[in-house]
């Protein structure tokens, strides 16, 4: 006997309502992770403005460290979303699509929240202030 819920789940592509809820909870938690990784980029660049060189000339040296944190955070988020989407979706192609869409949604909201905290800046300005000996 096939229940009405099973037919609806098969038609929508979700394996079950519980797995679908887990997927969306993972996306929601990804907002925190995405916001944290975007904020990491700003904080790493801001740390470099605190006097890495006395005259504050040259490029901001901590941006590569900030980009590394940003990339690692997003790769971890994508892997978690792929795992939960695989549990929540019937078809393989929709798994990748849902993982990527979830990552873009979470990262976009996280970026917007991070920009609110940093006055709209992705990285700290370099040099932060004119050099005064």
């Amino acid at each position: 006997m096939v229940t009405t819920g099973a037919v609806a789940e098969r038609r929508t592509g979700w394996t079950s309502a519980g797995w679908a809820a887990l997927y969306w909870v993972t996306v929601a938690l990804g907002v925190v992770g995405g916001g944290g990784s975007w904020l990491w980029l700003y904080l790493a660049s801001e740390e470099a403005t605190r006097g890495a060189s006395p005259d504050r000339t040259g490029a901001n040296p901590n941006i590569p460290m900030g980009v590394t944190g940003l990339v690692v955070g997003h790769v971890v988020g994508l892997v978690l979303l792929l795992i939960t989407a695989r549990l929540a979706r019937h078809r393989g192609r929709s798994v990748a699509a849902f993982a990527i869409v979830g990552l873009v949604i979470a990262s976009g909201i996280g970026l917007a929240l991070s920009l609110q905290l940093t006055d709209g800046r992705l990285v700290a300005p370099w040099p932060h202030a004119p050099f005064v000996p």
Side-chain angles (χ1 to χ4, degrees):
M1 174 181 239
V2 177
T3 63
T4 307
V7 171
E9 288 166 357
R10 199 171 325 127
R11 196 175 322 135
T12 63
W14 296 106
T15 56
S16 72
W19 288 119
L22 176 66
Y23 167 78
W24 288 110
V25 166
T26 305
V27 171
L29 291 174
V31 170
V32 176
S37 63
W38 284 109
L39 192 59
W40 176 265
L41 175 65
Y42 178 82
L43 293 176
S45 68
E46 197 270 335
E47 181 64 27
T49 64
R50 293 180 183 252
S53 62
D55 61 356
R56 297 178 188 226
T57 59
N60 191 330
N62 277 0
I63 287 185
M65 186 177 79
V67 171
T68 302
L70 180 69
V71 169
V72 167
H74 281 76
V75 167
V76 168
L78 182 61
V79 168
L80 291 174
L81 284 168
L82 280 169
I83 291 169
T84 56
R86 180 67 190 114
L87 294 170
R89 300 293 298 169
H90 282 295
R91 293 178 297 279
R93 282 191 342 177
S94 70
V95 168
F98 268 76
I100 291 169
V101 166
L103 181 72
V104 168
I105 289 170
S107 181
I109 295 171
L111 173 61
L113 294 174
S114 175
L115 290 174
Q116 289 294 317
L117 293 173
T118 61
D119 293 329
R121 295 184 178 131
L122 280 178
V123 295
W126 183 269
H128 195 32
F131 176 69
V132 179

